[in-house]
């Protein structure tokens, strides 16, 4: 582990937090203010090195504050795509608005894949009390016919109601 940065009063600046472990290589830099909602601007790059996800890369930018966090992430390798959203982690109901787009994955993760999925868009918005979800995706594989799925629904922690399901 290597850490280069400085802290003074309520401000923390990280020039470089570098981890080189058997499981992951990671590099983080950015700023955090330790008062008034904890404003932050952080950048993370990580490469997984073990398991079937070896070679998976993640780039994440977190901005805003811990009160209202904005995330922008790109992932590539075994699974590719983007995750963008906002989250209010200090609220008891955890309000969120997140979208996964242009995502692709296959199973198994290594070798010749038997199943493939493409997620054009998966959007979820709401809180722990209730949420709305929309999905547009395609799947294919050895034992299943090629299928396109479009669905919309809403739910909470106990159930989900799908109001549209097209294939």
């Amino acid at each position: 582990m290597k850490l280069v940065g400085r802290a003074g009063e309520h401000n923390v600046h990280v020039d470089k937090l570098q981890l080189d472990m058997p499981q992951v290589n990671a590099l983080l830099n950015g700023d955090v203010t330790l008062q008034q909602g904890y404003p932050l601007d952080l950048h993370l790059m990580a490469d997984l090195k073990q398991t079937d996800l070896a070679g998976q890369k993640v780039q994440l930018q977190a901005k805003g504050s811990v009160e209202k966090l904005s995330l922008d992430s790109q992932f590539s390798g075994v699974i590719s795509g983007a995750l963008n959203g906002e989250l209010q982690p200090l609220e008891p109901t955890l309000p969120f608005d997140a979208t996964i787009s242009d995502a692709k994955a296959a199973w198994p993760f290594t070798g010749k894949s038997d199943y493939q999925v493409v997620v054009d868009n998966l959007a979820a918005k709401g809180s722990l009390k209730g949420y709305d979800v929309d999905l547009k995706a395609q799947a294919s594989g050895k034992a299943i016919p090629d299928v396109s799925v479009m669905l919309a629904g809403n739910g909470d922690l106990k159930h989900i109601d799908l109001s549209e399901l097209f294939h």
Side-chain angles (χ1 to χ4, degrees):
M1 181 171 90
K2 181 177 183 179
L3 174 61
V4 178
R6 60 188 177 281
E9 293 187 16
H10 304 288
N11 300 315
V12 177
H13 175 76
V14 178
D15 289 309
K16 178 191 278 188
L17 173 57
Q18 185 171 10
L19 298 175
D20 186 0
M21 302 169 53
Q23 300 85 1
V24 66
N25 282 337
L27 178 64
L28 175 97
N29 61 48
D31 296 287
V32 178
T33 302
L34 303 176
Q35 65 179 7
Q36 299 173 349
Y38 301 96
L40 56 83
D41 186 359
L42 298 172
H43 306 271
L44 171 71
M45 293 188 324
D47 298 321
L48 299 179
K49 299 185 334 187
Q50 289 187 348
T51 75
D52 289 344
L53 292 173
Q56 181 67 41
K57 297 181 185 312
V58 176
Q59 293 184 7
L60 172 68
Q61 182 173 349
K63 287 185 167 185
S65 69
V66 176
E67 285 180 330
K68 189 169 185 181
L69 188 60
S70 176
L71 301 173
D72 184 10
S73 177
Q74 302 290 322
F75 38 104
S76 61
V78 178
I79 301 169
S80 64
L83 168 65
N84 301 296
E86 291 186 352
L87 178 66
Q88 296 178 38
L90 298 180
E91 292 293 324
T93 60
L94 198 63
F96 63 88
D97 185 354
T99 302
I100 295 174
S101 57
D102 302 320
K104 295 180 183 176
W107 180 260
F109 291 135
T110 60
K112 184 172 167 61
S113 65
D114 294 331
Y115 303 96
Q116 302 80 35
V117 64
V118 175
V119 177
D120 297 316
N121 193 64
L122 170 59
K125 183 176 184 175
S127 72
L128 295 178
K129 289 183 176 183
Y131 60 85
D132 294 315
V133 63
D134 289 292
L135 171 67
K136 181 179 180 190
Q138 299 84 44
S140 60
K142 279 187 173 181
I144 62 171
D146 292 357
V147 62
S148 293
V149 177
M150 291 176 54
L151 69 82
N154 58 60
D156 57 31
L157 292 176
K158 295 180 182 178
H159 78 286
I160 184 168
D161 292 321
L162 300 176
S163 58
E164 296 179 28
L165 177 59
F166 300 99
H167 64 282

